[in-house]
Amino acid sequence: MVPHLTTALNGPLLDLERRFLSAMPNIEHWFRRQWLDHAAPFYASVDLRNSGFKLAPVDTNLFPGGFNNLNPDFLPLCVQAMQGTVQKICPEARGVLLIPENHTRNLFYLQNVAQLVTILRQAGMLVRVGSLLPEITSVTEIALPGGAVVKLEPLVRRGNRLGLEGFDPCVVLLNNDLSAGVPDILKNLEQAVLPPLSAGWYTRRKSEHFAAYDRVANDFAGLLSIDPWLINPYFATCSQINFQERIGEECLAARVDEVLQKMRLKYAEYGVKHDPFVIVKADAGTYGMGIMTVKDASEITGLNRRQRNKMSVVKEGLQVHDVLVQEGVYTFENINEAVAEPVVYMIDHSVVGGFYRVHTGRGVDENLNAPGMHFVPLAFESCCTLPNPDCGPDDTPNRFYAYGVVARLALLAASLELEGGED
Amino acid sequence: MVPHLTTALNGPLLDLERRFLSAMPNIEHWFRRQWLDHAAPFYASVDLRNSGFKLAPVDTNLFPGGFNNLNPDFLPLCVQAMQGTVQKICPEARGVLLIPENHTRNLFYLQNVAQLVTILRQAGMLVRVGSLLPEITSVTEIALPGGAVVKLEPLVRRGNRLGLEGFDPCVVLLNNDLSAGVPDILKNLEQAVLPPLSAGWYTRRKSEHFAAYDRVANDFAGLLSIDPWLINPYFATCSQINFQERIGEECLAARVDEVLQKMRLKYAEYGVKHDPFVIVKADAGTYGMGIMTVKDASEITGLNRRQRNKMSVVKEGLQVHDVLVQEGVYTFENINEAVAEPVVYMIDHSVVGGFYRVHTGRGVDENLNAPGMHFVPLAFESCCTLPNPDCGPDDTPNRFYAYGVVARLALLAASLELEGGED
């Protein structure tokens, strides 16, 4: 499966890719220095948008699902990166307890769990999967398409150690984003918990991530002498919003207007002919719930009941109070007429693969990670670490290198964010 | 290209592979602990012999050629391992000066140099190649089959820094095994030299490597409760040999006899029906010069002039004084009737690939790395880190995992050896 990508515009982004390519030794040297001072998250995935004139991260997930969507040819890369991470952060560890999201019917997600188990096993770890679900009271095997099986087991807490029946792991690996808070059974564990509990969405804020990304993008743009806007979307926040009771609408409309105004100036500077739009979304949480596309501040005050209901809750039924207004980045990558959004996966600070979310029913200015969104994953055909200076800057390996660079910038921002949030 | 391997015997080795597979978490945990205490060599290749009843390293090269023979699909693994190594040992480095062997006509070797340049570049380094050859007085481009070009440049020494015209590198990377000693231009450099000069064949001794391997193999065999002989060839040494003047022949014959006697006991214990043989080779040096197969001590005292001449010099015309007598390990891997010897490549402590030396004209008891030996390289079809417990222990991915384990044991022995040899 070879993705055929078309990019509607090939002006500024080509230039950006060319700069990335020619500055590669400086870029890699810069990253190495950053990783001396900052510990990368255990793993992460970054959603990118490529508008042809701008390449930017729009979301950074510290509990990535979707490892099953990566190109199977790059499984060895995942295994090697996992071995390196384990060697660095928990070399004495043997047993890993993987705690996934509370899904038992989402087979796509469970395939991701199965893939994580495979990666950890191939890296030489003893791995078992413990479920937070109260209904998992005994070993429960779930068959997956393709013949694999995920075995969910009930968690057993003994004092300050978490394990399973007959399994006392050294490390607890979370693939659960803790949207609803930290369950008591995970509190005060003596084992290492990776990523740290403070990376959970119950406390994490997208605005803090993008504030950290501002710093990273500015530094990096200085290194390359580029306009940081080319890799960084504007954003603003509003707190104490209540969509259902129409509280905070004026604040939100004002922020939307500010971001749109700043975008208009940049669009004029770069000769971009499209209408600017912003994405309004919950400042905490994931899964693309509570998200809307806005092209004019007046849309905020004119929301109908259905729209307000949709915006007011995210995953686990949590109320939305803090809202992020983020510059919308058009996606101009298309695969057979369908809109495609790249997602890059990292283990520690190594890029290990990626895939495109391909969605035929959505427009270039819409969020592609939305509930009910049945995207088709299309694995990257080549990895993100093999740029070829003999090819054009927008040729696949070079474009993927650029994706890997911007994804690592977001990863670095997540490192800064987690340092700030350490308990 | 899929290698079709046949193994004549499938008794004890199958059992060994089965133990490796079932003990994988313990094995990887053990290796992680070792790498906490010992720094792996920058890179290495290990020649293995697989006799069906025994799997053992017979040579460990700390300046590996042959990266061009690896499966190109695994280039990303090499790049990722290189990035990890650079991050660990010289994160501040940007420029790398690669110093190859003094070949200008050996296109096979120069393809290895080109591949190393590619790996280092993809890892984000600035790389140039400096030649020790006096005849390289200006930039010399050598075209390679396939269209690549290797550019050799004359070395420039400024005070205690080594570089090229217009290039002041942070690191000097040797791909030259220093058989003839350390050239003055490499002495007392203020830059990091990798691997260290003390890894050169001018001072390195195979017997020291295999003495270190004895310790490693015994520890590892203890971990798995196996007979260390299954992964370790017997050896003995003689010094002050002069083949041409027939000095030391009695000593050598006695050592040969001792090793053969010990082997006969093991062959009897394991029911091996073949005739034991030993390999007599120079204790220093490489390229398979000065090597012979001996099945009886009487052959040593009966050498004719031609055989004695052949044994008395190795690469760079060096005289052989110290001789290693190593248990010969039959190779029972065949590819289309041709004898095949696996070679495993590592960067830092990661296995990054391997290939078979396939040679139609040689017997199962002969050395396959010999002058004039035109082997056909056959890249491993899968990497060495993806064992599959659902397949038989001798299925390709599992056999390759076993190869990766034994190769890493030899790598660890090289680490101990280099620690002993630090200046």
Side-chain angles (χ1 to χ4, degrees), chain A residues 24-26 28-29 32-33 76-77 80-81 83 86-87 91-94 121-122 124-126 350 386-387, chain B residues 24-26 28-29 32-33 76-77 80-81 83 86-87 91-94 121-122 124-126 350 383 386-387:
Chain A
M24 184 188 175
N26 286 340
E28 297 302 325
H29 179 257
R32 284 197 299 275
R33 293 183 58 113
L77 271 184
Q80 193 184 62
Q83 284 176 320
V86 170
Q87 177 79 49
E92 297 286 354
R94 224 183 289 238
R121 288 219 173 111
Q122 301 283 23
M125 311 304 285
L126 290 168
S350 295
L386 299 182
Chain B
M24 184 189 175
N26 286 340
E28 297 302 324
H29 178 257
R32 284 197 299 276
R33 292 183 58 114
L77 271 183
Q80 192 185 64
Q83 284 177 321
V86 170
Q87 178 78 48
E92 297 286 354
R94 226 183 288 237
R121 287 219 173 111
Q122 301 282 24
M125 310 304 285
L126 290 168
S350 295
C383 72
L386 299 183

Side-chain angles (χ1 to χ4, degrees), chain B residues 358-397:
Chain B
V358 184
H359 192 71
T360 47
R362 297 227 157 208
V364 293
D365 58 357
E366 285 180 283
N367 175 55
L368 301 188
N369 190 11
M373 182 200 73
H374 298 295
F375 66 85
V376 181
L378 178 56
F380 287 1
E381 60 173 318
S382 81
C383 72
C384 299
T385 55
L386 299 183
N388 183 349
D390 300 331
C391 301
D394 59 340
D395 271 2
T396 305

Side-chain angles (χ1 to χ4, degrees), chain B residues 173-382:
Chain B
L173 178 59
L174 296 177
N175 197 250
N176 182 307
D177 67 19
L178 307 175
S179 284
V182 180
D184 286 341
I185 201 168
L186 294 181
K187 286 177 180 161
N188 304 313
L189 294 180
E190 62 181 58
Q191 291 129 309
V193 178
L194 300 169
L197 296 171
S198 58
W201 275 128
Y202 75 96
T203 180
R204 200 176 160 225
R205 290 293 175 272
K206 295 188 178 83
S207 53
E208 285 172 18
H209 177 70
F210 285 101
Y213 187 77
D214 275 350
R215 289 189 276 150
V216 170
N218 284 342
D219 279 2
F220 183 80
L223 178 79
L224 262 67
S225 304
I226 57 170
D227 180 350
W229 179 76
L230 294 173
I231 52 170
N232 191 6
Y234 288 127
F235 75 96
T237 55
C238 280
S239 55
Q240 299 186 302
I241 298 280
N242 186 323
F243 280 101
Q244 275 164 328
E245 298 182 14
R246 313 197 84 138
I247 296 170
E249 281 185 353
E250 302 73 21
C251 164
L252 189 54
R255 295 294 92 72
V256 166
D257 204 48
E258 283 163 22
V259 172
L260 287 171
Q261 283 295 354
K262 286 158 79 179
M263 289 176 68
R264 279 186 200 105
L265 292 175
K266 283 291 179 187
Y267 276 29
E269 179 182 342
Y270 288 94
V272 178
K273 302 295 180 202
H274 302 277
D275 289 336
F277 69 97
V278 299
I279 298 286
V280 176
K281 54 187 171 186
D283 199 9
T286 181
Y287 279 107
M289 301 168 86
I291 287 197
M292 64 183 173
T293 300
V294 179
K295 293 193 175 178
D296 191 285
S298 64
E299 296 172 44
I300 296 294
T301 44
L303 291 180
N304 63 31
R305 172 159 296 277
R306 206 184 120 263
Q307 290 168 315
R308 284 186 281 119
N309 283 344
K310 186 186 144 211
M311 285 304 292
S312 63
V313 287
V314 288
K315 193 184 162 201
E316 312 266 2
L318 295 180
Q319 289 292 315
V320 172
H321 300 294
D322 300 325
V323 169
L324 182 79
V325 178
Q326 186 179 48
E327 172 184 343
V329 182
Y330 281 94
T331 186
F332 282 128
E333 283 200 285
N334 299 292
I335 296 170
N336 304 331
E337 315 270 303
V339 174
E341 178 186 60
V343 191
V344 176
Y345 278 68
M346 287 155 292
I347 294 176
D348 192 27
H349 49 64
S350 295
V351 176
V352 294
F355 66 91
Y356 285 99
R357 278 199 196 101
V358 184
H359 192 71
T360 47
R362 297 227 157 208
V364 293
D365 58 357
E366 285 180 283
N367 175 55
L368 301 188
N369 190 11
M373 182 200 73
H374 298 295
F375 66 85
V376 181
L378 178 56
F380 287 1
E381 60 173 318
S382 81

